[in-house]
Amino acid sequence: METKILKVVRQGEAFGVQSSKTENGTIQKCNIVLREMGGGKFENEYVCAMLGNLAACRFYEGDVVAATLRFSTHEYQGQVFQEILATDIVVIKH
């Protein structure tokens, strides 16, 4: 896991997804786009998933946040995919 200072670009709406790790079989998921703050025009952006209680939190465009990200990869039908999960996000500046 890695903690970074990032700026919120946008956040989608939360929706339910199936999960075998929860009692009722579903968990809330929300996607958020975060950008590095190096000051350049073409800084790296991360499309991250937020799950559970974090998915219910609302962040706004321009918020500066400290985000802990977990990077993982998996293979499916001969293709490799990378997933980024935001495990913790704290607003530093609105």
Side-chain angles (χ1 to χ4, degrees), residues 19-82:
S19 173
S20 59
K21 297 180 182 180
T22 62
E23 266 185 37
N24 65 0
T26 63
I27 191 169
Q28 289 294 302
K29 179 179 180 179
C30 181
N31 293 316
I32 188 167
V33 180
L34 303 170
R35 179 181 297 142
E36 289 183 345
M37 294 186 49
K41 188 175 181 179
F42 302 105
E43 296 299 331
N44 291 326
E45 287 189 351
Y46 304 96
V47 178
C48 309
M50 301 186 300
L51 299 175
N53 292 336
L54 188 57
C57 295
R58 193 73 200 158
F59 302 96
Y60 299 95
E61 181 179 344
D63 283 354
V64 177
V65 298
T68 303
L69 308 178
R70 186 175 78 198
F71 296 83
S72 61
T73 60
H74 69 277
E75 186 176 341
Y76 178 73
Q77 295 184 343
Q79 294 183 313
V80 178
F81 298 90
Q82 179 180 37

